[in-house]
Amino acid sequence: MSVEADNRTEQELIAAILGGQKHLYHALVRPVEKKIFMVVLAYVHNPSDAEDIVQEAFLDGYRHLATFRGEARFSTWITTIALNKARARMRRSSAHAEVSLDDAGDEDRAPAVSPALLRDWREIPSEALERNEVRTLIRQAVSELPESFRTVFVLRELEELSGEETAAALGISLALVKVRLHRARIQLQKSLAPALRSATEPHRKKRWPSWS
Amino acid sequence: MELNCRHVWEFLSGYLDDTLDAAVREDVERHLAHCEVCSAILDSTRNILVLTADDRVFELPVGFSDRLHARLNELIGEDPTSPEKT
Ligand SMILES: [Zn+2]
């Protein structure tokens, strides 16, 4: 989804905004606001905290637009600002031991998780997402990923940043991005393949709480 | 090279992103051709990634965009060189 209301390139938009057409900042923000929200939500969990952080990040982005060098995409730059705010807020609000994202954490050293073993896979069409139950299963599985895996996963799969952009946004190596993405994907397959199959197979659809 | 299932799982992400060396990719494909378990793992992973990335899964709170742009408007209406900082 990269439909832009304004076909000017990001660079041109930014130049115009800095040149005084301030209202064009809205056009710079709109195509990326949802992705940034998802990234932050994956990080902080609480939608209202995520919304605050996203607003602050875009406000800061505007205030400091002149310092944006254009080596990265605007969305990558805002992502970095937003993640810094999210981390600062988590440090303030919880007894959460501070985890450095620069290094491999415990979850990187833990033995690899094996995927769920299946004999066959019947494709689940996107229409299944019309059901709230299916969307909830997916959101839950993503939120249960270890934080460092989840952040990489969301940047790569949902924000569609490249491996290099993800590494730059998080200040970690490309190799670590690849390992975490791989592990996140396997872990999601492990939790979601069985759950989605039983939620979408017509004859196994549960109408009542399980009797077992 | 003859790969076992565990090796193939290690290459799954690289296979999906098409970042494997040609020789490794061939080995993986040869394994997938006769291993229904790994094929199902690959298919399910790919399917799950498509579903997860769908815009419907993670929804914006109602009014999110309006509130964001209203706040931006407050700022854009101000003098942008104002030293006020969060
Ligand atoms: Zn196999």
Side-chain angles (χ1 to χ4, degrees):
Chain A
M1 262 215 349
S2 57
V3 188
E4 288 181 38
D6 196 304
N7 338 318
R8 273 177 274 200
T9 65
E10 235 171 60
Q11 291 305 317
E12 289 166 343
L13 269 177
I14 291 168
I17 296 161
L18 293 173
Q21 292 176 267
K22 301 181 207 168
H23 62 280
L24 288 176
Y25 190 61
H26 294 288
L28 193 61
V29 169
R30 281 190 205 284
V32 302
E33 62 193 39
K34 180 170 182 183
K35 299 284 185 192
I36 306 285
F37 177 79
M38 293 194 304
V39 172
V40 175
L41 183 60
Y43 205 88
V44 300
H45 294 295
N46 174 329
S48 91
D49 284 350
E51 179 165 347
D52 274 358
I53 291 169
V54 171
Q55 288 183 357
E56 285 168 22
F58 279 119
L59 291 169
D60 270 17
Y62 182 78
R63 293 185 187 108
H64 303 293
L65 196 59
T67 68
F68 173 61
R69 301 253 171 247
E71 286 145 10
R73 283 188 279 166
F74 176 67
S75 63
T76 315
W77 184 60
I78 292 291
T79 299
T80 310
I81 296 173
L83 285 179
N84 283 334
K85 288 183 182 296
R87 271 179 222 133
R89 186 175 292 221
M90 306 236 318
R91 277 198 292 273
R92 274 202 308 271
S93 70
S94 69
H96 232 256
E98 189 180 332
V99 184
S100 159
L101 287 168
D102 311 9
D103 298 309
D106 291 341
E107 61 278 3
D108 294 303
R109 282 185 286 267
V113 169
S114 295
L117 304 181
L118 314 156
R119 291 227 158 268
D120 55 65
W121 179 255
R122 191 199 303 256
E123 181 83 6
I124 298 174
S126 305
E127 293 80 74
L129 295 169
E130 300 296 339
R131 288 173 47 206
N132 189 33
E133 180 196 3
V134 173
R135 296 196 302 272
T136 304
L137 279 173
I138 296 174
R139 282 198 298 265
Q140 237 163 33
V142 171
S143 77
E144 282 162 9
L145 293 171
E147 181 187 300
S148 63
F149 293 8
R150 189 171 65 243
T151 309
V152 167
F153 178 83
V154 170
L155 290 173
R156 288 282 283 111
E157 299 284 358
L158 306 188
E159 200 180 339
E160 295 171 318
L161 297 189
S162 70
E164 287 81 1
E165 288 168 332
T166 304
L170 298 175
I172 60 177
S173 69
L174 180 57
L176 196 50
V177 167
K178 287 184 178 169
V179 171
R180 288 179 180 173
L181 178 63
H182 175 71
R183 290 185 155 207
R185 285 167 165 172
I186 297 285
Q187 224 162 297
L188 280 185
Q189 190 276 353
K190 186 188 174 75
S191 57
L192 281 176
L196 287 178
R197 189 158 64 175
S198 51
T200 56
E201 263 180 20
H203 57 278
R204 281 176 38 189
K205 200 197 277 179
K206 281 190 231 149
R207 286 159 170 248
W208 319 103
S210 169
W211 297 345
S212 58
Chain B
M1 192 182 124
E2 193 64 38
L3 297 179
N4 67 29
C5 294
R6 274 180 191 282
H7 285 134
V8 171
W9 303 343
E10 277 308 301
F11 292 129
L12 202 73
S13 213
Y15 185 81
L16 287 169
D17 293 335
D18 201 9
T19 55
L20 299 178
D21 293 339
V24 177
R25 188 172 182 85
E26 253 175 58
D27 292 337
V28 171
E29 275 166 357
R30 207 172 311 119
H31 181 97
L32 289 172
H34 69 75
C35 180
E36 57 184 6
V37 172
C38 287
S39 298
I41 291 171
L42 177 70
D43 290 345
S44 58
T45 306
R46 194 184 273 138
N47 194 178
I48 285 165
L49 293 178
V50 169
L51 294 175
T52 305
D54 193 288
D55 277 344
R56 283 168 285 189
V57 174
F58 293 90
E59 290 159 328
L60 289 174
V62 175
F64 167 87
S65 196
D66 294 343
R67 288 190 293 274
L68 170 62
H69 289 277
R71 263 194 91 180
L72 290 176
N73 261 338
E74 285 168 23
L75 179 68
I76 290 171
E78 297 166 6
D79 178 4
T81 59
S82 132
E84 190 256 336
K85 247 205 104 196
T86 41

